[in-house]
Amino acid sequence: MKARPPAGAAQVLATATRVVLQVVLEGHSADEALAGFANHPQRAAIQAIALGAVRWYVRLAPAVLPLASAGGGELDARLRVLLVCAVHQLEYSSHSPASSVAAAVDAIRLLDLARAAGLVNAVLRRYLRERALRLAAVDRTLATRHAHPAWLVKALAQAWPQHLEQILTANNEHPPLCLRLDLRRGSVPAYLDELKAAGIEANGVSGVDSAVCLAAALPVREIPGFAEGRVSVQDSSAQLAAVLLAPQPGERVLDACAAPGGKTGALLERAGGELDLVALDSDAVRLHRVAENLERLQRKAQLVQADLRAAPDWWDARPFDAILLDAPCSGTGVIRRHPDIKLLRRAADLPRLAATQLELLRACWPLLRPGGRLLYGTCSVLPVENLGVIEAFLANEPGASLTQLPQAANCSPPLRSTSTGWQILPLARAGGDGFYYACLTRATTAGTV
Ligand SMILES: C[S@@+](CC[C@H](N)C(=O)[O-])C[C@H]1O[C@@H](n2cnc3c(N)ncnc32)[C@H](O)[C@@H]1O
């Protein structure tokens, strides 16, 4: 194996390894870890390797790492992560195996671990000889075959036994780029024509009137209408929040967990901008992104930085007609967009998240006017964060009742009606992200809705 790697390949591999290390060792999200390389000339290649290695880490690590740990000692984290990134290249890139091995040997030197160069070379060469057997052994277990942690596979199997393999498969797909069109500033058929004229292949999404999915991803600056705010990037399942809350012009609305503002923009667009909208979030940095998004959309809202669970001293005591609570969650419905979730989440996070979701729901309920509606949503597919939270809330809140969501028969994000709301499952690449929605109405007088 004498081939030299393409120029810069080792540098890219070493940088991707540093990104994955931040996820695996320090618990940073991949987005945070990649943010430091936003202006890197090789950003796309670094991102592709890093996200690919994160996506397949749980499958590739047990296939390759035992080859390096024959002595039984703890492997240097840089070596572990580099080997997984290199095997990802061997399995999923179009580079020749020889050049990928050579790049990995050079990359370990760039990671200040020159003494491991011989080991990297030997391990990867042996992996190439044994890959079929090694992967077959790993693939005997469902969780490692699909590169998911065992606890998550167990939770998904309990919740969705008939769809388990479909969900696991879809979670490892590359998601489509979906756009939300501001229907006040254009129609989907006209926008599809505009895209066609620009040579961009795209489709509408049945059941989501504002959604357009591109056949291939594009940088946002190349998307017609993005800069002037006619379109935004938003998955079709997320777009349903504004459809279901259906804010009416003149209403006073609270977007209770608003940042970075995807749904804030969608709510404003639905009502033609004529909402008295408060967009609240506890995270100042993320709230700044709401401001940036609204500026691009040329829409206005009152931005509030506050912890929803604290006394609402930001509130002027005028109740809201409608509230959207897009609660922080496990993100198990958006793994295809954020594969790091598979490495970062733990089973123990779930009860803590569910308790927070219930607290947030209880905190915003008193801000709703009698007769008003609250849409609860998460991008989780786990019932403990969805049905479980709504049932626990209803059990102690006699003034709250469930509102039937409209029939979802022709909606292309695959929907399941549950006893409390809609569960969208991520089942296919072309479908929407996993999402849950439930709509609650506050009684006008004690006991009546
Ligand atoms: C799922 S994200 C919201 C996404 C947003 N609705 C959108 O569509 O772009 C959840 C948000 O809840 C915020 N959050 C978490 N805990 C909070 C709290 N106690 N009070 C207010 N916001 C909170 C987080 O900062 C995060 O931005």
Side-chain angles (χ1 to χ4, degrees):
M1 279 192 279
K2 291 199 182 98
R4 293 307 308 156
Q11 189 64 258
V12 166
L13 188 58
T15 309
T17 300
R18 288 195 184 97
V19 170
V20 179
L21 272 167
Q22 285 194 44
V23 176
V24 173
L25 272 194
E26 292 164 36
H28 291 297
S29 73
D31 283 349
E32 284 165 355
L34 283 163
F37 304 98
N39 298 319
H40 195 289
Q42 300 268 38
R43 191 198 60 81
I46 293 165
Q47 177 170 323
I49 298 175
L51 290 185
V54 165
R55 179 171 285 120
W56 291 105
Y57 200 94
V58 177
R59 179 174 184 246
L60 299 181
V64 66
L65 296 188
L67 294 176
S69 25
E74 176 79 357
L75 289 181
D76 188 292
R78 288 166 292 176
L79 176 60
R80 269 189 287 135
V81 171
L82 172 79
L83 285 172
V84 173
C85 290
V87 167
H88 175 267
Q89 289 300 90
L90 292 176
E91 294 300 334
Y92 298 103
S93 86
S94 55
H95 300 310
S96 75
S99 71
S100 292
V101 172
V105 171
D106 289 348
I108 201 72
R109 295 196 177 99
L110 294 170
L111 292 164
D112 298 326
L113 214 59
R115 65 186 155 76
L119 181 63
V120 166
N121 188 39
V123 164
L124 293 178
R125 283 165 179 254
R126 184 165 163 205
Y127 176 82
L128 281 170
R129 289 194 300 275
E130 298 177 4
R131 66 205 280 192
L133 274 177
R134 302 201 71 83
L135 288 175
V138 164
D139 287 350
R140 267 184 232 122
T141 308
L142 184 71
T144 41
R145 178 159 81 243
H146 290 282
H148 280 60
W151 71 264
L152 180 54
V153 173
K154 193 171 159 203
L156 290 169
Q158 270 168 8
W160 311 108
Q162 290 168 356
H163 300 289
L164 178 62
E165 289 233 34
Q166 247 181 308
I167 294 173
L168 297 175
T169 302
N171 282 350
N172 289 327
E173 305 263 15
H174 289 264
L177 180 65
C178 197
L179 303 176
R180 182 188 76 239
L181 183 67
D182 182 348
L183 295 174
R184 305 285 175 141
R185 299 170 69 186
S187 72
V188 166
Y191 187 62
L192 287 174
D193 285 346
E194 186 180 340
L195 291 177
K196 198 171 171 191
I200 300 169
E201 201 186 322
N203 286 303
V205 176
S206 75
V208 189
D209 58 2
S210 49
V212 165
C213 266
L214 302 190
L218 275 181
V220 287
R221 64 178 179 281
E222 291 172 29
I223 297 173
F226 180 85
E228 67 263 31
R230 281 190 292 130
V231 293
S232 300
V233 174
Q234 189 172 51
D235 184 77
S236 57
S237 299
Q239 294 184 40
L240 287 169
V243 177
L244 295 174
L245 194 65
Q248 300 302 306
E251 280 192 320
R252 179 162 163 74
V253 176
L254 172 65
D255 186 357
C257 282
K263 299 184 189 71
T264 315
L267 291 169
L268 285 161
E269 287 169 5
R270 280 277 146 189
E274 292 166 39
L275 285 184
D276 177 4
L277 181 70
V278 177
L280 178 145
D281 205 281
S282 54
D283 185 321
V285 175
R286 285 170 64 87
L287 198 62
H288 184 66
R289 292 189 50 208
V290 182
E292 288 172 349
N293 275 325
L294 292 183
E295 193 178 326
R296 184 181 58 82
L297 296 176
Q298 302 162 38
R299 302 285 188 191
K300 288 201 166 15
Q302 181 194 339
L303 303 194
V304 173
Q305 190 210 337
D307 185 330
L308 193 58
R309 296 166 301 182
D313 45 16
W314 52 270
W315 190 42
D316 60 6
R318 285 188 299 136
F320 292 95
D321 299 303
I323 295 178
L324 171 63
L325 175 58
D326 186 21
C329 71
S330 62
T332 43
V334 291
I335 285 175
R336 60 187 189 160
R337 296 190 190 279
H338 302 284
D340 48 342
I341 286 170
K342 295 190 289 184
L343 301 182
L344 296 174
R345 286 290 168 270
R346 302 278 177 269
D349 295 338
L350 295 177
R352 187 182 47 74
L353 282 165
T356 302
Q357 289 150 355
L358 186 55
E359 264 187 278
L360 293 171
L361 188 46
R362 287 185 174 143
C364 56
W365 189 250
L367 312 182
L368 189 64
R369 75 162 164 78
R373 60 206 186 281
L374 183 149
L375 186 71
Y376 172 84
T378 71
C379 55
S380 166
V381 291
L382 300 178
V384 65
E385 299 178 85
N386 298 333
L387 176 116
V389 171
I390 295 297
E391 282 180 343
F393 178 73
L394 288 171
N396 281 303
E397 189 51 73
S401 65
L402 272 171
T403 313
Q404 209 58 32
L405 291 174
Q407 268 308 318
N410 293 320
C411 206
S412 71
L415 285 171
R416 300 284 169 284
S417 287
T418 71
S419 56
T420 55
W422 277 2
Q423 179 70 63
I424 304 165
L425 296 179
L427 293 183
R429 185 183 177 274
D433 287 345
F435 244 93
Y436 172 83
Y437 290 113
C439 189
L440 302 166
T441 303
R442 185 170 175 183
T444 45
T445 55
T448 41
V449 171

